[in-house]
Protein backbone atom coordinates (compact mmCIF):
# COMPACT_ATOMS: atom_id res chain seq x y z
CA UNK A 1 0.00 0.00 0.00
CA UNK A 2 1.45 3.34 -1.07
CA UNK A 3 1.48 6.16 1.50
CA UNK A 4 -0.47 9.16 0.15
CA UNK A 5 1.80 11.53 2.13
CA UNK A 6 5.35 10.38 1.36
CA UNK A 7 4.84 7.82 -1.41
CA UNK A 8 6.61 4.95 0.44
CA UNK A 9 5.35 1.50 -0.46
CA UNK A 10 4.20 -0.21 2.79
CA UNK A 11 3.18 -3.79 3.45
CA UNK A 12 -0.53 -4.45 2.79
CA UNK A 13 -2.68 -3.98 5.89
CA UNK A 14 -0.27 -1.62 7.68
CA UNK A 15 -2.04 0.94 9.87
CA UNK A 16 0.79 3.52 9.74
CA UNK A 17 3.42 4.39 7.15
CA UNK A 18 6.86 2.99 8.00
CA UNK A 19 8.48 6.11 6.55
CA UNK A 20 6.50 9.07 7.86
CA UNK A 21 4.10 7.47 10.41
CA UNK A 22 1.04 8.85 8.57
CA UNK A 23 -2.16 6.89 9.08
CA UNK A 24 -2.87 4.41 6.29
CA UNK A 25 -6.23 3.35 7.69
CA UNK A 26 -8.20 5.02 4.89
CA UNK A 27 -5.47 4.98 2.24
CA UNK A 28 -6.56 3.00 -0.78
CA UNK A 29 -9.86 2.22 0.83
CA UNK A 30 -12.67 0.92 -1.30
CA UNK A 31 -15.26 3.28 -2.68
CA UNK A 32 -18.66 1.81 -1.90
CA UNK A 33 -21.02 1.64 -4.82
CA UNK A 34 -24.49 0.86 -3.45
CA UNK A 35 -26.62 -1.28 -1.19
CA UNK A 36 -25.04 -3.52 1.41
CA UNK A 37 -21.47 -2.65 0.40
CA UNK A 38 -22.23 1.03 0.98
CA UNK A 39 -23.89 0.31 4.36
CA UNK A 40 -20.90 -1.70 5.55
CA UNK A 41 -18.23 0.75 4.41
CA UNK A 42 -20.01 4.04 5.18
CA UNK A 43 -22.13 3.15 8.21
CA UNK A 44 -20.88 3.72 11.74
CA UNK A 45 -21.42 1.76 14.90
CA UNK A 46 -23.90 4.37 16.13
CA UNK A 47 -26.12 3.38 13.16
CA UNK A 48 -26.46 -0.03 14.84
CA UNK A 49 -28.03 1.60 17.91
CA UNK A 50 -25.84 -0.11 20.52
CA UNK A 51 -27.72 -0.98 23.68
CA UNK A 52 -26.59 0.17 27.10
CA UNK A 53 -24.53 -2.61 28.63
CA UNK A 54 -25.35 -4.51 31.80
CA UNK A 55 -22.30 -4.24 34.04
CA UNK A 56 -20.87 -6.52 36.70
CA UNK A 57 -17.61 -6.70 38.58
CA UNK A 58 -15.12 -9.44 37.64
CA UNK A 59 -15.33 -10.49 41.31
CA UNK A 60 -19.14 -10.86 41.24
CA UNK A 61 -20.50 -14.41 41.22
CA UNK A 62 -21.68 -15.87 37.92
CA UNK A 63 -25.17 -16.05 39.38
CA UNK A 64 -25.30 -12.24 39.54
CA UNK A 65 -24.22 -12.04 35.88
CA UNK A 66 -26.88 -14.56 34.83
CA UNK A 67 -29.51 -12.65 36.81
CA UNK A 68 -28.45 -9.37 35.16
CA UNK A 69 -28.62 -10.92 31.66
CA UNK A 70 -32.03 -12.37 32.37
CA UNK A 71 -33.40 -9.10 33.80
CA UNK A 72 -32.16 -7.03 30.85
CA UNK A 73 -33.02 -9.74 28.29
CA UNK A 74 -29.51 -9.56 26.82
CA UNK A 75 -26.93 -12.16 25.83
CA UNK A 76 -23.92 -10.75 27.65
CA UNK A 77 -22.62 -8.54 30.44
CA UNK A 78 -19.47 -6.48 30.66
CA UNK A 79 -17.10 -6.89 33.59
CA UNK A 80 -15.98 -3.41 34.64
CA UNK A 81 -13.34 -2.54 37.22
CA UNK A 82 -12.42 1.05 38.14
CA UNK A 83 -14.44 2.32 35.17
CA UNK A 84 -12.54 0.13 32.69
CA UNK A 85 -14.00 -2.81 30.77
CA UNK A 86 -11.83 -5.78 31.78
CA UNK A 87 -13.98 -8.58 30.38
CA UNK A 88 -17.09 -9.72 28.58
CA UNK A 89 -19.23 -12.68 29.58
CA UNK A 90 -21.74 -14.12 27.13
CA UNK A 91 -24.36 -16.84 27.41
CA UNK A 92 -22.23 -18.93 25.08
CA UNK A 93 -19.17 -18.67 27.34
CA UNK A 94 -21.29 -19.65 30.33
CA UNK A 95 -22.55 -22.76 28.56
CA UNK A 96 -19.21 -23.82 27.09
CA UNK A 97 -16.86 -22.88 29.95
CA UNK A 98 -18.80 -23.64 33.11
CA UNK A 99 -18.79 -27.27 34.29
CA UNK A 100 -22.19 -28.64 35.33
CA UNK A 101 -20.90 -29.12 38.87
CA UNK A 102 -19.76 -25.48 39.17
CA UNK A 103 -21.58 -23.46 41.83
CA UNK A 104 -22.72 -20.25 40.08
CA UNK A 105 -23.09 -18.50 43.42
CA UNK A 106 -19.44 -19.18 44.33
CA UNK A 107 -17.62 -18.84 40.99
CA UNK A 108 -16.47 -15.31 40.06
CA UNK A 109 -17.21 -13.84 36.64
CA UNK A 110 -13.46 -13.54 35.97
CA UNK A 111 -13.16 -17.35 35.94
CA UNK A 112 -15.27 -17.62 32.79
CA UNK A 113 -15.24 -14.19 31.10
CA UNK A 114 -13.25 -13.31 28.00
CA UNK A 115 -10.58 -10.95 29.40
CA UNK A 116 -9.50 -7.54 28.09
CA UNK A 117 -11.79 -7.20 25.06
CA UNK A 118 -11.04 -4.41 22.62
CA UNK A 119 -13.79 -1.84 23.00
CA UNK A 120 -15.19 -0.30 19.86
CA UNK A 121 -16.07 3.38 19.62
CA UNK A 122 -19.44 4.62 18.43
CA UNK A 123 -17.82 6.37 15.46
CA UNK A 124 -16.06 3.18 14.22
CA UNK A 125 -17.21 1.95 10.82
CA UNK A 126 -19.58 -1.01 10.57
CA UNK A 127 -16.80 -2.80 8.66
CA UNK A 128 -14.68 -2.68 11.85
CA UNK A 129 -17.45 -4.43 13.81
CA UNK A 130 -17.70 -7.16 11.18
CA UNK A 131 -13.94 -7.60 11.22
CA UNK A 132 -13.70 -7.83 15.02
CA UNK A 133 -16.51 -10.35 15.30
CA UNK A 134 -15.24 -12.44 12.41
CA UNK A 135 -11.69 -12.71 13.74
CA UNK A 136 -12.57 -13.04 17.43
CA UNK A 137 -15.39 -15.52 16.93
CA UNK A 138 -17.55 -13.57 19.39
CA UNK A 139 -21.16 -12.61 18.80
CA UNK A 140 -21.00 -9.49 21.01
CA UNK A 141 -18.66 -6.51 21.08
CA UNK A 142 -18.31 -3.87 23.81
CA UNK A 143 -18.72 -0.22 22.85
CA UNK A 144 -17.22 2.74 24.69
CA UNK A 145 -19.47 5.76 24.26
CA UNK A 146 -18.13 9.32 24.15
CA UNK A 147 -19.56 9.97 27.63
CA UNK A 148 -17.49 7.11 29.09
CA UNK A 149 -20.40 4.69 29.49
CA UNK A 150 -20.49 1.26 27.88
CA UNK A 151 -22.78 -0.39 25.39
CA UNK A 152 -22.87 -3.63 23.43
CA UNK A 153 -23.55 -4.55 19.82
CA UNK A 154 -24.37 -8.07 18.74
CA UNK A 155 -24.28 -10.05 15.53
CA UNK A 156 -28.07 -9.74 15.56
CA UNK A 157 -27.73 -5.93 15.57
CA UNK A 158 -25.50 -6.19 12.48
CA UNK A 159 -28.01 -8.36 10.66
CA UNK A 160 -30.88 -6.06 11.60
CA UNK A 161 -28.92 -3.06 10.29
CA UNK A 162 -28.14 -4.76 6.97
CA UNK A 163 -31.73 -5.87 6.47
CA UNK A 164 -33.14 -2.34 6.81
Amino acid sequence: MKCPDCGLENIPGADDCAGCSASLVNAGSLTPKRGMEKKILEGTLSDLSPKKASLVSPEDPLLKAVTAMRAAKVGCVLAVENGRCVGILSERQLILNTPETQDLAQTPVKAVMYPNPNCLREDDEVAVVFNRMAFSGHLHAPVLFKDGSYGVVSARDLLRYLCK
Side-chain angles (χ1 to χ4, degrees):
M1 174 180 306
K2 193 171 192 173
C3 175
D5 290 351
C6 72
L8 180 73
E9 192 65 42
N10 290 274
I11 61 170
D15 288 335
D16 297 315
C17 176
C20 69
S21 299
S23 175
L24 297 175
V25 173
N26 293 320
S29 59
L30 299 172
T31 304
K33 295 177 180 81
R34 63 188 186 292
M36 193 177 303
E37 179 183 347
K38 187 173 180 118
K39 287 181 99 167
I40 291 171
L41 293 174
E42 290 184 352
T44 63
L45 196 109
S46 60
D47 296 330
L48 301 177
S49 303
K51 292 161 198 68
K52 185 176 165 115
S54 294
L55 308 177
V56 296
S57 163
E59 302 298 329
D60 284 338
L62 287 173
L63 186 58
K64 182 175 181 178
V66 170
T67 303
M69 282 190 255
R70 222 182 256 156
K73 296 181 180 173
V74 294
C76 73
V77 293
L78 299 182
V80 176
E81 192 170 57
N82 300 321
R84 188 176 153 268
C85 181
V86 296
I88 185 167
L89 177 69
S90 69
E91 297 166 315
R92 186 173 184 214
Q93 286 168 303
L94 278 167
I95 292 167
L96 297 176
N97 300 331
T98 308
E100 290 178 30
T101 57
Q102 196 82 35
D103 183 356
L104 297 182
Q106 299 298 318
T107 306
V109 168
K110 68 181 179 182
V112 180
M113 72 181 191
Y114 176 79
N116 303 314
N118 290 321
C119 289
L120 300 166
R121 295 179 320 268
E122 57 189 310
D123 57 349
D124 282 338
E125 291 96 6
V126 171
V128 172
V129 182
F130 269 105
N131 182 282
R132 288 267 174 89
M133 287 186 178
F135 284 102
S136 72
H138 296 118
L139 302 176
H140 300 88
V143 179
L144 178 60
F145 293 119
K146 290 175 185 168
D147 68 1
S149 65
Y150 288 99
V152 173
V153 291
S154 67
R156 183 176 288 170
D157 296 329
L158 284 169
L159 290 173
R160 194 175 291 123
Y161 168 75
L162 291 175
C163 291
K164 282 183 188 174

